[in-house]
Amino acid sequence: MTSTIEHSAGTVVILGTGGTIAGASSVAGDNVGYTAAQRSVADLLAAVPPLAGTPVEAEQVAQLDSKDMDAATWQALARAVARHLARPAVQGIVVTHGTDTLEETAWLLQQVLAPAKPVVLVAAMRPATALAADGPQNLLDAVAVARTPGARGVVAVLAGQVHAADRVRKVHTYRTDAFSSGDAGPLGVVEEGVLRRFADWPAGVALGLDVLDTDPTQWPWVEIVTSHAGARGDAVRALVAAGVQGLVVAGTGNGSVHRALQQALDEARAAGLPVWLCSRCAGGVLVPAPGAAPSPAAALSPWQARLALQLQLLSARRGGG
Ligand code: SIN
């Protein structure tokens, strides 16, 4: 499917959270030694002259390097997104974010809100002070996607590509086209402010904002452990002793696990801990052997799986499952 459509006139709310898109360096040619989260969301908008005349509002929800993303910021962001989405005059939301954990925030927002309007995460690989900053064009493209009639769900827009929340992954440390949707390819591309779409918008049933209502310091502790050559079970045993409440195992290949690690995981399971298996591979899903029960995390990245298990535990605490 390919479709191109014109924009419509509702307000787009831009929520700032920091990241390299808001980063600054004292050296204009420096693309790595900058400090993230230095410019306000209002400053970012001022750097995009073509947005003049477009109905946008800006709100600073947070100002952080996304490596430091946490439950409290996710809770505040999800609440701000929901509050603005409920306004009839708002057509869509754009969230400026760091690239490093963008895919986690995107996935979380889609699971919790499954919005009927677009929520577009945007980021940049170069700081605002770079000789060739990618943030302004990415922000312009993100607003174009948020203003596209019929747009819905959580997506990410970078380097002219639109990625669905459940597929997007950061796959490169440095390139400006650092994101991929894996086997499926991007949901679409933005060309001169117009979306050319290849796939359906993200859909699904929202868990509801209430699932995040727990005090952020009390969200269940879920850790990721990775299987690798020479793996040991000691880290798992230490986590269990320290009170971890769930484990995600990033297995090798199609979900195989080193026997030493498996032994410790079996002990954890026997002690009643949920242990979910996924793959450490960048692409593909766990393909179950005939008759084998599929893992709940079979199609999730390790960090999506960590969030999924955390949401399940939060929901269970609230009596939802
Ligand atoms: C961050 O994730 O906040 C810093 C890195 C980036 O945005 O590229």
Side-chain angles (χ1 to χ4, degrees), residues 190-207:
V190 186
E191 296 158 333
E192 298 299 315
V194 177
L195 172 66
R196 186 157 57 95
R197 188 160 60 86
F198 314 130
D200 282 340
W201 295 102
V205 179
L207 291 172

Side-chain angles (χ1 to χ4, degrees), residues 152-246:
R152 64 182 154 78
V154 181
V155 296
V157 171
L158 292 102
Q161 294 191 318
V162 184
H163 302 279
D166 59 340
R167 299 188 178 133
V168 63
R169 280 205 198 188
K170 185 173 181 180
V171 294
H172 202 277
T173 55
Y174 185 77
R175 282 192 337 227
T176 51
D177 61 335
F179 285 77
S180 167
S181 289
D183 292 342
L187 181 148
V189 292
V190 186
E191 296 158 333
E192 298 299 315
V194 177
L195 172 66
R196 186 157 57 95
R197 188 160 60 86
F198 314 130
D200 282 340
W201 295 102
V205 179
L207 291 172
L209 200 53
D210 292 358
V211 75
L212 302 185
D213 270 353
T214 300
D215 172 354
T217 64
Q218 302 301 316
W219 284 22
W221 179 20
V222 180
E223 284 291 342
I224 301 168
V225 294
T226 305
S227 189
H228 51 84
R232 297 163 45 151
D234 308 56
V236 167
R237 293 188 185 99
L239 284 166
V240 173
V244 77
Q245 289 156 294

Side-chain angles (χ1 to χ4, degrees), residues 18-109:
T20 291
I21 192 169
S25 169
S26 54
V27 183
D30 174 12
N31 291 320
V32 293
Y34 60 89
T35 306
Q38 300 300 300
R39 298 274 163 91
S40 71
V41 63
D43 290 342
L44 302 188
L45 282 169
V48 191
L51 281 178
T54 303
V56 293
E57 290 174 19
E59 181 180 325
Q60 196 78 46
V61 173
Q63 187 67 303
L64 48 69
D65 185 320
S66 81
K67 72 180 174 56
D68 297 324
M69 185 52 70
D70 55 24
T73 308
W74 272 334
Q75 191 183 60
L77 178 62
R79 285 176 176 162
V81 169
R83 173 166 45 84
H84 287 296
L85 286 177
R87 294 168 52 200
V90 170
Q91 183 174 6
I93 311 278
V94 169
V95 179
T96 62
H97 200 287
T99 61
D100 286 345
T101 59
L102 177 146
E103 66 210 72
E104 296 173 54
T105 300
W107 194 86
L108 180 76
L109 291 176

